[in-house]
Amino acid sequence: MLNRRHIRVKVMQTIYAFKGGESDDFKNDEKFLVNSFDDMYHLYLLQLSLLIEVQKRVENQIDKSQLKHLATSEDKDPNKKLVNNEVLQLLRYNRTLGDTIRTYGVDNWELDNEYVDVIYKAILASDIYAEYMKTRTSDFKTDKNFIVDVFKEIIAPNEKLYDYLEDKNLTWLDDLPTVNTTILKLLRKIKPDVADSYFTPKLYKDLDDKAFGVSLFKKTILSQTKLNAEIDNKAKNWEADRIAQIDYILMQMAVCELNNFPSIPVKVTINEYLEIAKEYSTPKSSIFINGILDKLVKEYQEKGTLNKVGRGLM
């Protein structure tokens, strides 16, 4: 779920928020970084559990309708296709998912249940729902396609939900596209006999990813003076105050990565930071950063100080 580029972005954000220097204690900032990794999984569980709460909301509405004093024939014999949706049933009664949700303390929809109603009403008002409910019977494929469409077309782009998530945790806005993509992939590939652990994928694709993020943060912070000197030496035609702070941080991280992570190819490092710059900095930042890094890489190669292990890493 959490890839290396996303880890680099979180390191960049943590360094940007860091107000100290090389000699200062940054344990709290390191803790913030690690927590931001875990917060991404919290967001994943939060988004996935919203589907469960919608299913509960439908079930509750049916129960209330049947208890009406003047219940209509439809109230007495409602179309239970949605509440019996096989994918929603798998989600609701998945023991591992339920345990993980409780472990992470994901109880937002109990406290802020008005957002469950927002999604519930949006579903009921949609053409997706109208088409799905034309019949009373269904099969697993139809149920799955309906839930995929609901998540993709109604939940993921919902502006009220987006504002809610932004208010709860600012870093979630950067996590949301990755989390939603992960959920969509899981929903599209789901089968009736999925393993109990299907809905609880690993946060890190590789065991070394978390260590990479923490190490990149620490090594960058501890070497900022040296890193800035190298960058400034290659940016003599630019006044320091004209260089965007994000650009400085991205170049610090890139130079640190070039010199301290021998298993990461030079091209991978440069391309990763150029892509991050395109998304988080000014329109011309990637061109500027590419120019500085290219000069530094050539200098390291000439001096023989670019230590890369393995074939094709230069």
Side-chain angles (χ1 to χ4, degrees), residues 230-231 233-235 238 251 255 270 274 284-299:
E230 291 196 49
I231 293 166
N233 186 47
K234 301 302 177 187
W238 289 75
M251 286 187 289
V255 176
I270 293 177
L274 294 184
K284 295 182 179 180
S285 290
S286 61
I287 299 173
F288 170 68
I289 292 173
N290 187 47
I292 299 298
L293 295 181
D294 185 59
K295 290 178 183 178
L296 284 169
V297 168
K298 287 179 180 177
E299 181 180 294

Side-chain angles (χ1 to χ4, degrees), residues 10-30 33 213-228 245 248-249 251-257 260-261:
K10 287 184 174 293
V11 172
M12 175 197 73
Q13 292 169 334
T14 307
I15 294 175
Y16 183 82
F18 180 65
K19 303 303 180 185
E22 295 174 357
S23 61
D24 293 305
D25 182 13
F26 50 80
K27 288 183 179 179
N28 287 336
D29 299 272
E30 182 181 335
L33 174 64
V214 173
S215 181
L216 178 61
F217 169 71
K218 292 170 70 174
K219 289 180 184 297
T220 302
I221 290 293
L222 290 171
S223 306
Q224 280 186 320
T225 300
K226 179 183 177 182
L227 294 171
N228 286 341
Q245 187 178 356
Y248 247 121
I249 292 171
M251 286 187 289
Q252 289 171 358
M253 290 171 61
V255 176
C256 178
E257 191 171 308
N260 293 281
F261 296 86

Side-chain angles (χ1 to χ4, degrees), residues 182-237:
T182 298
I183 292 174
L184 274 175
K185 286 181 179 178
L186 286 173
L187 292 174
R188 283 173 175 149
K189 294 180 179 180
I190 193 172
K191 296 179 180 180
D193 56 348
V194 293
D196 199 47
S197 60
Y198 182 78
F199 294 114
T200 50
K202 294 179 181 179
L203 175 59
Y204 302 100
K205 290 183 177 180
D206 189 285
L207 293 175
D208 295 331
D209 284 351
K210 180 179 179 180
F212 164 74
V214 173
S215 181
L216 178 61
F217 169 71
K218 292 170 70 174
K219 289 180 184 297
T220 302
I221 290 293
L222 290 171
S223 306
Q224 280 186 320
T225 300
K226 179 183 177 182
L227 294 171
N228 286 341
E230 291 196 49
I231 293 166
D232 292 342
N233 186 47
K234 301 302 177 187
K236 290 180 179 178
N237 295 329

